[in-house]
Amino acid sequence: MAEKTTQNLDEVTIRFAGDSGDGMQLTGMQFTNTTAILGNDLSTLPDYPAEIRAPAGTLFGVSGFQIHFGSTEINTPGDQCDVLVAMNAAALKVNLGSLIDGGTIIANTDGFNDKNLKLAGYATNPLVDESLQRFHLHSVDITKLTGHALQSMNLSSKLVDRSKNFFALGMMYWMYNRPLETTIEWIQKKFGNKPDIMEANLKVLKAGWNFSETTEIFSVRYEVGPAKLAPGQYRNITGNQALAWGLMAAAKKANLDLFLGSYPITPASDILHELSVYKHFGVKTFQAEDEIAGVTSALGASFGGALGVTTTSGPGVALKSEAIGLAVMVELPLVIVNVQRGGPSTGLPTKTEQSDLLQVLFGRNGEAPVPIIAAATPADCFQTAFDASRIALKYMTPIFCMSDGYLGNGSEPWLIPDYNALPDIAPKFRTEKEGFFPYLRDEQTLSRPWAIPGTPGLEHRIGGLEKQHITGNVNYEPENHEFMVRMRAEKVERIANDIPLAEVEGDVQGDVLVVGWGGTYGSIKSAVARHRLRGNSVSHLHLRWLNPMPRNVGEILYKFKHVLVPELNLGQLVKVLRMKYLVPAVGFNKIQGLPFKAVDIEKKIEEILKGTK
Amino acid sequence: MAEKTTQNLDEVTIRFAGDSGDGMQLTGMQFTNTTAILGNDLSTLPDYPAEIRAPAGTLFGVSGFQIHFGSTEINTPGDQCDVLVAMNAAALKVNLGSLIDGGTIIANTDGFNDKNLKLAGYATNPLVDESLQRFHLHSVDITKLTGHALQSMNLSSKLVDRSKNFFALGMMYWMYNRPLETTIEWIQKKFGNKPDIMEANLKVLKAGWNFSETTEIFSVRYEVGPAKLAPGQYRNITGNQALAWGLMAAAKKANLDLFLGSYPITPASDILHELSVYKHFGVKTFQAEDEIAGVTSALGASFGGALGVTTTSGPGVALKSEAIGLAVMVELPLVIVNVQRGGPSTGLPTKTEQSDLLQVLFGRNGEAPVPIIAAATPADCFQTAFDASRIALKYMTPIFCMSDGYLGNGSEPWLIPDYNALPDIAPKFRTEKEGFFPYLRDEQTLSRPWAIPGTPGLEHRIGGLEKQHITGNVNYEPENHEFMVRMRAEKVERIANDIPLAEVEGDVQGDVLVVGWGGTYGSIKSAVARHRLRGNSVSHLHLRWLNPMPRNVGEILYKFKHVLVPELNLGQLVKVLRMKYLVPAVGFNKIQGLPFKAVDIEKKIEEILKGTK
Amino acid sequence: MSALIEEIMKQSPPPSDQKPSAKDFQSDQDVRWCPGCGDYSILAQTQRVMPDLGIPRHQMVFVSGIGCSSRFPYYMNTYGFHSIHGRATAIASGLKMARPELSMWVVTGDGDGLSIGGNHMIHLLRRNLDINVLLFNNQIYGLTKGQYSPTSEQGKVTKSTPYGSLDYPFNPASLALGSSATFVARTLDRDPKHMQTIIKRAAQHNGTSFVEIYQNCNVFNDGAFFKFTEKDSKDDTVIFLEHGKPLIFGKEKEKGIRLNGYSPEVVSLKEGKWSQDDLLVHNEKDTTLSFILSDMTYKAGLPRPVGIFLAIDRPVYEQEMVRQISFAKEKRGDGDMVKLLHSGDTWAVQ
Amino acid sequence: MSALIEEIMKQSPPPSDQKPSAKDFQSDQDVRWCPGCGDYSILAQTQRVMPDLGIPRHQMVFVSGIGCSSRFPYYMNTYGFHSIHGRATAIASGLKMARPELSMWVVTGDGDGLSIGGNHMIHLLRRNLDINVLLFNNQIYGLTKGQYSPTSEQGKVTKSTPYGSLDYPFNPASLALGSSATFVARTLDRDPKHMQTIIKRAAQHNGTSFVEIYQNCNVFNDGAFFKFTEKDSKDDTVIFLEHGKPLIFGKEKEKGIRLNGYSPEVVSLKEGKWSQDDLLVHNEKDTTLSFILSDMTYKAGLPRPVGIFLAIDRPVYEQEMVRQISFAKEKRGDGDMVKLLHSGDTWAVQ
Ligand SMILES: Cc1ncc(C[n+]2csc(CCOP(=O)(O)OP(=O)(O)O)c2C)c(N)n1
Ligand SMILES: Cc1ncc(C[n+]2csc(CCOP(=O)(O)OP(=O)(O)O)c2C)c(N)n1
Ligand code: SF4
Ligand code: SF4
Ligand SMILES: [Mg+2]
Ligand SMILES: [Mg+2]
């Protein structure tokens, strides 16, 4: 048996790529869970096509999953990958660009037959011509080897083909020295009722591992030690799952039923799927006939005393905007989750983008202020959804809870929060008849009483026509209208009393302040960190609350020579900062359906620093 | 017969007020037409309740119509009225506040019986108690007098009651020395097929006139000479009618069929009504099942080579926003007319407001730029709609044509434009197969070719997914997406090459620049004029194009010490100016469902000037 | 139901022994319909019927969209929601799922419920939540001052159709039946007694009740239904459907409906050729028959069917939802957030 | 039609004497459905039928919404519009009104056409524009990876309904009939011949043609219709409706459908008790019968009716619109903008 040496690494980025039918997402998630449990810090980026199962071997059918893990702090899924697992020629073609020079390629030779090469647009086979010399190429006939491993079972070739991804996974487990247990258990649970598929996958997984252990092709294997994470109990979690759990936690704390009215849409559907599992938590999920019924049913539920929630993506928000205006007028709690995707219109449904900020801020008729909170990382979606619910209930208002495709599908290790330590949410249903008026506001929060149907003596009517202050009766008086418009605006402004002041990462004054919001947190953080290591005067402000903004944002901005606002759009937060604070903030924009690379932001900061010198 | 003296006046404001069933709108329009034909300049403000025919005598059932006319230039419907015609107690109660001290009241005593007084909340009859001493009160039992006039005809009391508004009209005609002809002809045309109603109305109209002529109560009558208007042929026109005609003119010039897909909504419905009359112009109007079908049917018609138009108000725009994003993506011409009303939600459906600017600018998912043009006066709606159509066709883009309830229902004398002198609109349908690509853009305008179904050899497919540059094929490539997003933005920016530079009314630099948009034109103009008369350094910039803005707006703003932005909202244009030009523009906002009073703006400017001293 | 809400429900006073009156269901708001509007009668009948339902006011909710008809909730001294155009059925659905114990009413118009709100309507009907829908059909858009509606007859001249409308009208009953509704009825604003029975039956039905009410808009579409409501004509133009009874109509009950094959035809009971036994007998429980009867609606020569077309039982959406939840709780125990957070693969970091 | 467009229409080449082939209707785009998807068959049949219609490619438009099915237009070498979710019918309506001479096709799914797009669908059907609607019913949301749809059977376990769906499914044929459709049919992805005849008939129908096509989604709802499409079962589970023919089915055509009163029931033709003459005879022109037949769809013990339920003539919306316009032009002459601007009360200012 061959001698194998072991190298230590701080961090590695691996990308699994193959046909949408090859199960790359599953393979990636398995590697992720195993890696998480080993105590590495990590960040992932699933990247799949809009088609369900595009014909095999086509370029547009390629599905990829990238994982960046290490013994150091990991903030992004990795700008480039060190290892590329390519199940066929198209996968290589599409992803080669993101492989570092000198990186490793593991190619399934069976996926490079003439048909594959033609579909991928290769004139000659890159595995045999000289074109890949820059890289460490390992050609392995994974399909054939999988077949061998399963000979004894004589399964259909279709079934055999289906499990070849486990062979690749086994190889990667060996190469990065990870145990098989987690995946073995998962396979046993998942395919418990399909014994031969279970057995096949187990066999192949181990075959992949053994193959790497015994053959010559891999001379080195790598060791990536656990990261120094804060002590505690951890789990790996995706943004969509964390968001769903955050809503459930809030409802529990508030002693309310959670009602979700939603219409499926990528990339938000998984929240609906997740919540529909928790009937034993009293969660009610309603797949409506469209987005409008999704949001209006949720508003109806809120009227009835539930925590009404609706989940969607940009096009759905557009459809809901009239109803959200109604929620503003009737002042009922309503959480609107927007998992943003590439626009405009249907755009790039499976890609990520941050281009809905101005829509959620302004996309309604009339003066219809709605608070906005945005999650910064996949795990952060939990706290964000929790806070959104808390504010919606306390201020009797609709609220936008912003996520995006990258956050929703991406995952990271999560220090499991102490549920009991989470702040209490204590909504009050009005019950005293004495002195009840539907629009008599709380002096501090300006929120109106929540008097739900079924409460004796509080019968009242609400609606979308302008309301009279206090009585809530329909009222067309000029002064009352102006008063109510300003009152609704003031109510949302007052939420600023309820949110923490913004905190700068780095010095509170200096040359460049990089301001971000949402899913760009990781890449900005890394870019800023690199500059700070080099002693540059660069700081990072990441806004969790977009409306209202923390009271100290202005002061902070004024303390820096330059304000740079990187966004995955054409510049939206930057517009808001300029209009609110009249600072000459400049945007740095990428709108390609992909997250920022830390290095791009790093370079941009560089430029600005040069300018200042 | 009593001696009557005649006084000359430069301008007068009269308000007719009564039950929604009393025909005040009709009365007002009649007085308006007669006055217009006399050559006065004028401006009107209809003000009616959301209810169709609220029960008689109630405060919320009061319907009013104000007309401001004179021998001088008239820019607004008048801050206050000089004469109030009150058909009942509620009408007096609701409108007394807008009557100047020393103003004239003509009250229909029959409308002040105990029931009326109770409904209006009067403890004692204001016609007999001392409360109206500040005013010239003329109590006339219009109802009874109408009855007398019709005795001979023995009509039902219901019919008699219906014509009493003509008595009031007759009185006003006498008082302001206007001929009866126009109204007589109108009555004859309108009630031609209902002879006795026709006769009744004619009798009553003359009775009102004779009554004033012969009785003592009116000792003076007034003379308001014609205004010095630019020579030419004039007509009186409302904003909604002018807008409809502007669309028709554009379609004719462009040699296209006009297709309107619309769903009724106040205050935009009249455009649908108006256009549906002109079948002989080839206009196709489609009352759709909802706003979404309204806009999507129009977009379908545009795909087919028609000038596709959809008309609505704020809540309808909200519903259309997803489809407008599609129009941005498929790059077809589409005119979206938004006759704004009081919001949010259903808000104040029959009142005016300017609170949809940010919605139309930003209310779509993804980066979906749409040009915006706004009318400044009722008659200006014609040119605005014409220009909107021209740009939509030239740049192959959806475009917002903004109006509001005040403009749509209000009217003014209009110097009839020379149709043949209007600019040509020459849309080209692509027909050559050679080198045709659906997204191969015109180098100057960046617009794509319009290749309509039925054209041999140009079969192609469009849609809402991201398009590949030139080919228009579905494309998910990162760089292509960014390229196309920026291309769509650039295309809209280039419209600035096609619109005139902004022009300041007054000096091009100084202390205060008052910047407005839309229907506030008249009140701002008057306010600024009054200051300039007093020699104050105040100028007026009214923006017709909100997106893109004329190239010189920045320069203009920078030349003034203060920039004041009056808007009928909480500050929307002011936000845009601050974000675009980083000028410390301040807003002056009123949001009461009513136009500005010139005097309010005048005072606000005063304040600012004081500040500067 | 959440703990908090149970709290409140407990406060519900014991049903007082003295029955409330129609007046108790009148709110303090002035009614703002045009004098003479058919809506007044519908409001009156509804308020008259409510006391008989034995449901306390505070457990009733009226949800509406936008339109003259949709002003209805303001006038009922119950909980109410005057929402946005076309969405009442969707809002009511959410509220009903959240609070199955409430008595839910939707008031809508032919525009609100069948034009912009058509989609939510047909989906509500197939889902069969226990909601009572009163559709005021005046064959016109009242509130927006008189455009034609999806139920207006073809060729109707209105503000938006000076040359006459081109749309073929919906037959609301057939649309409801085609949407798999479980309760479909039609009644008349000018027949108070009949309206009262129908509203009561709708309330008693467990599932979605769709009630079309012919309503006169005396301002923009006056007399649209006089043929069916006025003395001189109604006996010959309307046939009242009664479960288990043969289809008879006419001043002296001298005419009947018989199936010729499967097509309804009018036969005279006077010539002696046909007797009651030859007539079609109504059966509320038969879906096929319900289609046959509602298809008579626009057929020339046939009387307009009024009454209950269909009233069948089918599982009720929100009740099934509750069942699933209790089932899940039995099977998996009450959800425990702490357990959930720590479920699946987790690991400790020292 | 506007002058500019007439220009273009003139350029239309004289119909070439040699008939185009199915291949001519294939676009240059690669088809991106999952291998084995039922959509492939529908695409193939459509392309096969097109040449027989005698309409040149450039005068055909395929409009769709969003969904796997809605990718269809990309694969047809005609004009196409892949629009937004649920709106294809509305877009097609506008296009058809603007260009009545075009051959209009809408391709939609059970989610696109009946869930979010339900309202536009029922309104299109009542208006009766000359548009052919192909509804691919796979009883699932394919593109969004497998949630249940408005046609999914109750109790369906999907990603969004782990405890089973609660919604009672639409019967698309009944919904269409309830919407006053003039042409309603059903066919099967795995019966190419039948699909071809139905598509042809739909194209020939003057008015809106509603065609429900049972389509297998082999990834998320595999085999949903195998009962009706596979050799071993189909003869006993499906009955093909043919105008003027008695309703017979079964392997040896040994079974038939008879009306018991007005309820369809299965009778055997073998025992000698019943013969062909006792059977229900199909009549495409009879609206009442169409309801009776489509109501069989979900009834236990009855075969699934497939074929043309109804095909009647009614004025076509856009053709009436054209008529009104020419009438107006005759009556008032071609609109003259200058005249209009100066119409009514005007006055001169010197
Ligand atoms: C989104 C939206 N679109 C349009 C309107 C305007 N609108 C109000 S009520 C109505 C139709 C009313 O007709 P119907 O539902 O029959 O009620 P009715 O007044 O006849 O009782 C319309 C079009 C609106 N308020 N909101
Ligand atoms: C406004 C909007 N809402 C939701 C979606 C997500 N979506 C795309 S297709 C689809 C349903 C597809 O089902 P169906 O119409 O049956 O087509 P199939 O894929 O089954 O052929 C949904 C919910 C969307 N694209 N746009
Ligand atoms: S407009 Fe018609 S429907 Fe509306 S309130 Fe008046 S009469 Fe009734
Ligand atoms: S997901 Fe289903 S419907 Fe969609 S392409 Fe694949 S097999 Fe066909
Ligand atoms: Mg109506
Ligand atoms: Mg489907």
Side-chain angles (χ1 to χ4, degrees), chain A residues 322, chain B residues 52 263-266 269 290-291 312-317 319 341 346 349, chain C residues 33 37 39 65-71 84-87 108-116 136-145 147 149-151 215 217:
Chain A
E322 188 210 6
Chain B
I52 305 306
Y263 188 68
I265 185 168
T266 307
S269 306
D290 63 14
E291 279 82 358
T312 189
S313 187
V317 170
L319 284 167
R341 65 187 218 182
T346 314
Chain C
W33 288 310
C37 175
D39 292 353
I66 299 287
C68 296
S69 35
S70 291
R71 289 298 187 91
I84 45 177
H85 199 32
R87 318 306 173 187
T108 182
D110 43 324
D112 188 66
L114 297 178
S115 192
I116 192 170
F136 297 13
N137 182 5
N138 55 12
Q139 300 188 350
I140 200 80
Y141 287 179
L143 190 67
T144 46
K145 308 202 158 135
Q147 301 83 10
S149 90
T151 55
Q215 171 243 329
C217 168

Side-chain angles (χ1 to χ4, degrees), chain B residues 245-388:
Chain B
W245 288 12
L247 294 168
M248 288 167 62
K252 267 263 182 228
K253 282 274 174 184
N255 260 306
L256 298 177
D257 286 343
L258 178 60
F259 178 93
L260 174 70
S262 184
Y263 188 68
I265 185 168
T266 307
S269 306
D270 283 338
I271 303 174
L272 164 63
H273 303 156
E274 179 72 14
L275 286 173
S276 61
V277 171
Y278 300 109
K279 295 241 184 308
H280 56 300
F281 279 76
V283 176
K284 293 175 176 169
T285 55
F286 171 55
Q287 180 178 310
E289 58 271 24
D290 63 14
E291 279 82 358
I292 298 175
V295 64
T296 47
S297 62
L299 186 60
S302 292
F303 184 45
L307 172 57
V309 178
T310 191
T311 51
T312 189
S313 187
V317 170
L319 284 167
K320 293 172 197 279
S321 39
E322 188 210 5
I324 294 167
L326 175 64
V328 169
M329 197 63 125
V330 296
E331 301 188 41
L332 286 168
L334 176 69
V335 179
I336 307 132
V337 176
N338 180 358
V339 187
Q340 301 167 91
R341 65 187 218 182
S345 194
T346 314
L348 302 170
T350 60
K351 309 292 180 193
T352 196
E353 205 162 282
Q354 293 186 296
S355 50
D356 289 348
L357 178 58
L358 292 172
Q359 174 179 229
V360 297
L361 195 53
F362 297 122
R364 291 164 294 282
N365 59 297
E367 295 288 352
V370 177
I372 305 167
I373 185 172
T377 74
D380 181 46
C381 289
F382 177 87
Q383 192 60 47
T384 307
F386 186 89
D387 292 345

